[in-house]
Amino acid sequence: MTFELTILGSSSATPAFNRNPSAQLLNINEKYYLIDCGEATQNQLNRFRIRSHRIDHIFITHLHGDHYLGLIGLLSSLHLAGREKPLDVFGPPELLEIINIQLKYSQTTLRFELLFHAIDATQSALIYENNDITVNTIILNHRIPCTGFLFTEKPRKRKVNMEKVAEYGIPAEYIPLLKLGNDYEDVKQQRVISNAELTSSPIPPRSFAYCSDTLYNESFLHQIKGVSILYHEATFLHELLPRAEETFHTTALQAGQLAQKAEVGKLIIGHFSARYKELNTLLEESKTAFDNSYLAIEGLRFTV
Amino acid sequence: MTFELTILGSSSATPAFNRNPSAQLLNINEKYYLIDCGEATQNQLNRFRIRSHRIDHIFITHLHGDHYLGLIGLLSSLHLAGREKPLDVFGPPELLEIINIQLKYSQTTLRFELLFHAIDATQSALIYENNDITVNTIILNHRIPCTGFLFTEKPRKRKVNMEKVAEYGIPAEYIPLLKLGNDYEDVKQQRVISNAELTSSPIPPRSFAYCSDTLYNESFLHQIKGVSILYHEATFLHELLPRAEETFHTTALQAGQLAQKAEVGKLIIGHFSARYKELNTLLEESKTAFDNSYLAIEGLRFTV
């Protein structure tokens, strides 16, 4: 199953050095999920030739402009391009008011149904699931209510060893049960063949956690423990820790430390301050705590 | 006096073929005036190395997203960059509500004063003037209330012929009066020297009219008569006239015809539909009615 992340924007607060504000696209099993939608995200989608009409779910972390100002333009373009299928938008309750007031004054009635899901930023919850994944909120600690998102693959079925199945003469009808972990009860020969003998463990579910924006925060460590990829903001170098704390942001060192404590597979840092033209110092700092660190560079595609 | 227009965006409705939605910048006597502010206008300002903190006046024609969605991001970036001097914003009354709701939910208190001026889209009015220019609204006919803007240089003073001044022995103190058109009364010699003999006419005031978006409309012909440069939308080719009328837009041919009737100096067409990748057919069509037509290509700078 495809599970890919494309970086669309990595700048904090304001566009700088051709870096756009926050936006990332997940392709999970050929379904597109957009996370955050800073200004000009639709231009980024065009630039990287990602067809925006394939996006069916949009998740907005919070109401700072660099995380949602591109949403109205994207909705408007989808409308003008003739979209008819519903679009699910998850975000802070007030986002709906912001959308509606702009549709109202432009006298626009969207051709498609906008299914808005208000997020409660005070406690983590399962906010979405389908056959492929679950999406849970992660409660972040920012200047205004803000939630991250944890995308987790549903557990896969066990792998059946077909040679063993043949050896024990197990009828084909039982295979779905074996995949679910059941033992096989051979009534004729009055024996039980344990599932462990007939199957092997599937690949563990992959997962992606998106954490932006937040003060360094271990309260959600249990949620990101062992995730395949953690995206975590790293707005500043650690030498600016007081500034990070004052603005409810994280330093590159802290992001690395959190990734190390959470034993994640890979860390991607982003949401870079406009003061950094060159980003390698941020990467190097993160790597001192967690070696498998990467920069969120626009256009990069990570396989989860 | 500098009087220059830079095109920042020329796409209608939705960004297409790397064309951004509407925005133009006027530099008049080294003061910057921004007209419309589609999504990602701040990126365009960066791209063309125009320092956004020099903009002191912003004029928004109407509340379709392709004309204002970049405004909140620009205001936010000016705020974050530490702007302290006031900023004047002219636009439909509801724009203030849209700005305020977004500042409220992002818990942003702008560091600078935002002086908002609500525009009445029902009758043309002088909405701004300073030592250099006047700005009048032009009432357009669009699907929602919409005004264009006419920027007119203040009349210059007459040019004094210093040789004649010396010949008649006119004291230097009288020169400002001569520039204003006064005759010189020579009390000693009991004679009047006419202003016409002492001065020549100044260059006629230059002017720029911005008309987007509108159905073809001659009701404001008197306002744009003889302007140095007319920017007029030309969303469609004339073969799509029914579509233009249905959506309250103008064709390239009509824009050329209006320019010809108004006897303007130069016509710039823009607000191109996303259906046109190649724009020369629009230009050629406009030229059949008015030869001195140009395309609004991003980054082009026109001297008014």
Side-chain angles (χ1 to χ4, degrees):
Chain A
M1 185 169 93
T2 318
F3 198 156
E4 278 180 350
L5 174 74
T6 304
I7 309 298
L8 300 173
S10 64
S11 192
S12 75
T14 187
F17 309 116
N18 292 317
R19 301 195 294 258
N20 260 55
S22 291
Q24 298 190 5
L25 187 97
L26 274 178
N27 172 349
I28 305 176
N29 202 16
E30 298 310 319
K31 298 186 187 80
Y32 286 9
Y33 305 84
L34 181 66
I35 314 171
D36 276 340
C37 187
E39 185 175 354
T41 292
Q42 60 174 326
N43 300 22
Q44 295 291 83
L45 290 164
N46 291 342
R47 182 174 163 203
F48 300 121
R49 298 179 191 281
I50 295 166
R51 286 184 293 170
S52 53
H53 73 266
R54 289 189 57 187
I55 297 168
D56 289 336
H57 300 85
I58 301 178
F59 298 84
I60 302 293
T61 54
H62 67 300
L63 292 182
H64 280 151
D66 54 324
H67 294 259
Y68 83 90
L69 285 180
L71 182 61
I72 308 290
L74 178 61
L75 296 180
S76 169
S77 292
L78 291 171
H79 162 75
L80 290 166
R83 182 188 180 103
E84 288 184 349
K85 61 178 172 165
L87 180 71
D88 289 80
V89 176
F90 301 77
E94 300 83 1
L95 178 58
L96 185 59
E97 200 179 331
I98 292 173
I99 295 170
N100 281 340
I101 193 178
Q102 297 188 76
L103 293 178
K104 175 179 145 196
Y105 290 135
S106 66
Q107 293 181 20
T108 303
T109 306
L110 294 177
R111 281 195 191 88
F112 57 89
E113 201 178 355
L114 186 103
L115 302 165
F116 186 80
H117 310 271
I119 291 176
D120 174 2
T122 64
Q123 53 184 353
S124 173
L126 173 74
I127 55 169
Y128 177 71
E129 74 174 305
N130 60 21
N131 288 338
D132 305 323
I133 55 160
T134 57
V135 183
N136 289 273
T137 50
I138 299 171
I139 305 307
L140 303 177
N141 183 5
H142 196 43
R143 197 162 60 78
I144 61 172
C146 183
T147 56
F149 302 104
L150 174 65
F151 292 76
T152 312
E153 246 182 350
K154 290 211 165 160
R156 300 184 189 206
K157 290 170 184 164
R158 298 188 63 79
K159 284 187 186 169
V160 176
N161 182 334
M162 294 308 288
E163 284 179 13
K164 288 279 179 189
V165 165
E167 188 183 319
Y168 287 111
I170 300 173
E173 304 88 274
Y174 282 81
I175 290 177
L177 291 173
L178 299 181
K179 285 186 176 175
L180 293 174
N182 291 35
D183 297 332
Y184 175 67
E185 203 179 332
D186 187 341
V187 183
K188 230 186 288 175
Q189 303 206 25
Q190 293 195 324
R191 61 176 177 182
V192 170
I193 302 150
S194 77
N195 187 277
E197 199 176 338
L198 299 168
T199 68
S200 57
S201 297
I203 298 165
R206 294 167 294 178
S207 52
F208 170 67
Y210 179 92
C211 300
S212 183
D213 304 9
T214 188
L215 203 58
Y216 177 80
N217 187 351
E218 294 187 9
S219 67
F220 55 81
L221 197 59
H222 62 287
Q223 284 188 282
I224 62 169
K225 195 88 187 175
V227 294
S228 316
I229 296 186
L230 168 65
Y231 166 77
H232 199 286
E233 71 128 300
T235 309
F236 300 104
L237 284 171
H238 204 67
E239 64 189 20
L240 289 184
L241 180 62
R243 179 80 185 137
E245 288 177 343
E246 186 192 344
T247 56
F248 290 80
H249 285 300
T250 302
T251 69
L253 178 63
Q254 290 177 320
Q257 286 167 340
L258 193 69
Q260 185 267 324
K261 284 193 186 183
E263 297 174 310
V264 306
K266 194 178 274 187
L267 169 68
I268 301 170
I269 57 170
H271 200 263
F272 309 117
S273 163
R275 76 196 64 209
Y276 304 116
K277 181 173 185 185
E278 201 279 312
L279 302 172
N280 271 320
T281 46
L282 288 149
L283 181 63
E284 290 310 316
E285 184 173 289
S286 173
K287 282 187 166 185
T288 62
F290 186 77
D291 191 54
N292 208 17
S293 298
Y294 296 82
L295 291 171
I297 302 287
E298 293 171 15
L300 283 194
R301 186 162 294 171
F302 295 90
T303 299
V304 180
Chain B
M1 184 169 93
T2 318
F3 198 155
E4 277 180 352
L5 175 74
T6 304
I7 309 298
L8 300 173
S10 63
S11 192
S12 75
T14 187
F17 311 115
N18 291 319
R19 300 195 295 259
N20 260 56
S22 292
Q24 299 190 4
L25 187 97
L26 274 178
N27 173 350
I28 306 177
N29 201 17
E30 298 311 318
K31 297 186 186 80
Y32 285 9
Y33 306 84
L34 181 66
I35 313 172
D36 277 340
C37 187
E39 186 176 352
T41 293
Q42 58 175 326
N43 300 21
Q44 295 291 83
L45 290 165
N46 291 342
R47 183 175 163 203
F48 300 122
R49 298 179 191 280
I50 295 166
R51 287 185 290 169
S52 53
H53 74 264
R54 287 188 58 187
I55 298 169
D56 289 335
H57 300 85
I58 300 177
F59 298 84
I60 303 293
T61 55
H62 67 300
L63 292 183
H64 281 151
D66 56 323
H67 294 260
Y68 83 89
L69 284 181
L71 182 61
I72 308 291
L74 179 60
L75 296 181
S76 169
S77 292
L78 291 172
H79 162 73
L80 290 166
R83 183 187 179 103
E84 289 184 349
K85 62 179 172 164
L87 180 71
D88 288 81
V89 175
F90 300 77
E94 300 83 359
L95 178 57
L96 184 60
E97 200 179 331
I98 292 173
I99 295 171
N100 281 340
I101 193 178
Q102 297 189 75
L103 293 178
K104 175 179 144 194
Y105 290 136
S106 66
Q107 293 181 20
T108 303
T109 306
L110 294 177
R111 283 196 189 88
F112 57 89
E113 199 177 358
L114 187 105
L115 302 164
F116 186 80
H117 309 271
I119 291 176
D120 174 2
T122 64
Q123 55 185 351
S124 173
L126 172 74
I127 56 169
Y128 177 71
E129 74 174 307
N130 61 20
N131 287 340
D132 305 321
I133 54 159
T134 56
V135 183
N136 288 270
T137 50
I138 298 170
I139 305 308
L140 303 176
N141 184 4
H142 196 42
R143 199 163 60 77
I144 61 173
C146 184
T147 56
F149 301 104
L150 174 64
F151 292 77
T152 312
E153 246 182 353
K154 290 213 164 158
R156 300 186 191 206
K157 291 170 183 165
R158 299 188 64 79
K159 284 188 186 169
V160 176
N161 182 333
M162 293 309 288
E163 284 180 14
K164 287 281 180 188
V165 165
E167 188 183 319
Y168 287 111
I170 300 174
E173 303 89 274
Y174 281 82
I175 289 176
L177 292 173
L178 299 182
K179 286 184 176 178
L180 293 175
N182 292 34
D183 297 331
Y184 176 67
E185 203 181 332
D186 187 343
V187 181
K188 226 186 286 177
Q189 301 205 27
Q190 290 194 329
R191 64 179 176 180
V192 170
I193 302 150
S194 78
N195 188 278
E197 200 177 338
L198 299 168
T199 69
S200 57
S201 296
I203 299 165
R206 293 167 294 176
S207 51
F208 169 68
Y210 179 92
C211 299
S212 180
D213 305 10
T214 188
L215 202 59
Y216 178 80
N217 188 350
E218 295 187 7
S219 67
F220 55 81
L221 197 59
H222 63 288
Q223 283 189 283
I224 61 169
K225 195 87 187 177
V227 293
S228 316
I229 296 186
L230 168 65
Y231 166 78
H232 199 287
E233 71 128 299
T235 309
F236 301 103
L237 284 172
H238 203 68
E239 64 190 18
L240 288 183
L241 179 62
R243 179 81 186 136
E245 288 177 343
E246 188 192 340
T247 56
F248 290 81
H249 285 300
T250 302
T251 70
L253 178 63
Q254 290 177 321
Q257 287 167 338
L258 193 69
Q260 185 266 324
K261 284 192 187 181
E263 299 174 308
V264 306
K266 193 177 276 187
L267 168 68
I268 302 170
I269 58 171
H271 201 263
F272 309 117
S273 163
R275 76 196 65 211
Y276 304 116
K277 182 174 184 186
E278 201 278 314
L279 302 172
N280 271 321
T281 46
L282 288 148
L283 181 63
E284 289 311 315
E285 184 173 289
S286 173
K287 281 188 167 186
T288 62
F290 184 78
D291 191 54
N292 207 17
S293 297
Y294 297 81
L295 292 170
I297 302 287
E298 293 171 13
L300 284 194
R301 187 162 294 173
F302 295 91
T303 297
V304 181

